[in-house]
Amino acid sequence: MASHRRAKQPGRTRVTVLTATAAAAVALTSQGANAAPQPSKNEVKAKVDKLYEEAEKATEKYNGAKEEQDKLQKQVDGLQDKVARGQEELNTLRNNLGAVASAQYRSGGLDPSLQLFLSADPDTYLDKASALDQLGSKHSDAIDEIQSKQRALAQQRKEAQTKLTDLAEARTELGAQKRQVQGKLNEAQKLLNSLTAKEREALKEEQDRANRASTASRPDLSKVDKSGGASDGKSAKPASSRAAAAYAAGVSKIGKPYVWGASGPNSFDCSGFTSWSFAQADVQIPRTSQAQANAGQRIYSQSQLKQGDLVFFYDDLHHVGFYAGNGQILHSPRTGAVVRYESINNMPFKFGVRI
């Protein structure tokens, strides 16, 4: 008689393990199928460069907010000093008037005719009486002066309070722009951190190589028009003595790093570099690139540019540098770069400005 045995069923624990393993395998397969591929080094570089450009835009807004804050702070300080001086003058006037009133009160105990009768020297008394009449007139003038000073002081205090309110708003705007710049830079750093150490090193070497190449020597100006004309777009004849001095100051800072919000002498952003350079030539120009665009005569043709002219880029004019000659500019480019020469065609040129 045949023997039939029932097949052994797998234990509950074994089934659970097998099920979990299968589920995990399915999940991993699904994730592998749906996961986006890691961006390449070049793709990351393009995104980082874009973020650096956006950070530069925000930097110029930050510079504008900082300039406004500094201007308001000076105005507030001046008004507060004026109020303090006005209060001191008012206190002095009040004290003087109080002293006069007190003296009159003390001398007013006797009737004037009796004082004259009792006086050993009537002529001296009459002189004093005349002086007292004049003093009464001065007394009235002093009261008028005090009232006028009080009105002026109230107006100055009101103006100072308004400026303090404006200053608080400027500080809020400054903080917002600072956070925006830092946010862009942090985002760029996260992208760089997503690369392998080898890829990051390769990008750094590319940037270092670009810095070395563009700071090692000046642009080739051997074909400069010796007559000083700029019709071929290659003239290095300075636009003016002021521009020549500013450009020379800029050249002395080649190799200094770009730092957002910096205006020298050891680090610069783009407009900080140009404003610092002109300051060395005893020429004060605005701090931001957008304001510098209105600081002189505009030149729309590259062929008319001369060495030392300011050159502006992008529709919103968020970048500025110096024209160096032969189609080259001298500027402080962006985060990670240094003050260096570069082709004017590397960015969308808008116009030049001659100071």
Side-chain angles (χ1 to χ4, degrees):
M1 185 175 179
S3 175
H4 299 282
R5 295 183 179 181
R6 188 176 182 181
K8 187 177 181 180
Q9 298 296 317
R12 178 175 299 176
T13 301
R14 186 183 177 195
V15 169
T16 302
V17 170
L18 290 172
T19 303
T21 302
V26 170
L28 288 172
T29 302
S30 175
Q31 290 175 2
N34 295 329
Q38 284 292 102
S40 68
K41 175 173 71 70
N42 289 338
E43 289 172 334
V44 167
K45 182 180 183 303
K47 291 180 179 179
V48 167
D49 287 346
K50 181 64 176 175
L51 284 168
Y52 282 159
E53 182 189 334
E54 292 173 356
E56 189 179 19
K57 289 182 184 179
T59 293
E60 288 306 296
K61 291 180 181 178
Y62 167 86
N63 290 336
K66 181 72 166 60
E67 190 173 40
E68 179 65 16
Q69 178 193 255
D70 292 345
K71 181 180 73 174
L72 286 170
Q73 185 66 66
K74 288 180 181 178
Q75 291 175 350
V76 167
D77 290 345
L79 284 169
Q80 288 178 333
D81 287 344
K82 187 183 291 186
V83 167
R85 289 194 302 271
Q87 187 63 58
E88 288 178 1
E89 292 171 0
L90 182 59
N91 292 341
T92 300
L93 289 171
R94 283 172 171 167
N95 290 338
N96 292 341
L97 185 60
V100 170
S102 178
Q104 286 182 336
Y105 176 79
R106 287 195 301 270
S107 66
L110 291 176
D111 182 81
S113 60
L114 185 58
Q115 291 182 36
L116 177 60
F117 176 77
L118 295 175
S119 173
D121 186 353
D123 290 336
T124 300
Y125 173 80
L126 291 173
D127 289 341
K128 288 181 179 179
S130 176
L132 283 173
D133 287 340
Q134 294 177 14
L135 189 60
S137 176
K138 291 181 179 179
H139 191 166
S140 178
D141 291 342
I143 291 174
D144 290 342
E145 186 176 0
I146 286 175
Q147 291 174 336
S148 176
K149 181 67 70 176
Q150 285 175 326
R151 288 192 294 270
L153 196 56
Q155 181 61 35
Q156 289 166 3
R157 283 183 172 139
K158 182 178 179 181
E159 187 178 352
Q161 187 57 52
T162 299
K163 291 297 181 183
L164 281 169
T165 301
D166 293 342
L167 180 60
E169 292 175 354
R171 284 174 174 164
T172 299
E173 175 65 16
L174 185 67
Q177 296 303 332
K178 184 175 182 178
R179 288 190 295 273
Q180 185 175 4
V181 174
Q182 201 58 60
K184 297 293 183 183
L185 295 178
N186 289 342
E187 191 176 347
Q189 189 58 55
K190 285 180 182 178
L191 278 172
L192 290 172
N193 292 342
S194 70
L195 297 174
T196 65
K198 185 176 181 180
E199 288 173 327
R200 288 198 299 273
E201 184 60 31
L203 280 180
K204 182 177 182 302
E205 179 54 35
E206 286 179 19
Q207 183 63 63
D208 290 346
R209 191 161 50 246
N211 284 335
R212 287 193 300 270
S214 56
T215 60
S217 60
R218 300 190 182 194
D220 179 11
L221 303 176
S222 59
K223 298 180 180 180
V224 170
D225 179 359
K226 302 301 182 182
S227 68
S231 60
D232 60 358
K234 300 179 182 298
S235 177
K237 180 181 175 62
S240 66
S241 59
R242 296 179 300 175
Y247 178 77
V251 169
S252 73
K253 294 301 178 180
I254 288 176
K256 295 298 183 182
Y258 176 101
V259 175
W260 72 272
S263 55
N266 296 315
S267 59
F268 305 88
D269 59 26
C270 69
S271 58
F273 173 63
T274 50
S275 60
W276 178 88
S277 298
F278 266 103
Q280 308 319 297
D282 293 325
V283 179
Q284 300 302 316
I285 65 173
R287 174 61 175 84
T288 66
S289 59
Q290 289 89 347
Q292 289 177 17
N294 297 314
Q297 175 191 356
R298 290 193 178 185
I299 301 165
Y300 290 93
S301 172
Q302 288 189 29
S303 67
Q304 298 301 313
L305 293 173
K306 293 185 177 182
Q307 190 178 80
D309 284 336
L310 295 176
V311 281
F312 296 85
F313 302 88
Y314 302 100
D315 289 338
D316 61 356
L317 310 177
H318 71 260
H319 191 77
V320 61
F322 283 109
Y323 186 68
N326 199 25
Q328 299 288 302
I329 65 170
L330 176 66
H331 66 150
S332 184
R334 60 172 179 78
T335 298
V338 299
V339 175
R340 68 190 192 189
Y341 294 108
E342 198 167 334
S343 169
I344 196 172
N345 297 317
N346 286 356
M347 295 175 289
F349 169 79
K350 292 303 173 181
F351 53 79
V353 166
R354 186 160 296 159
I355 304 296

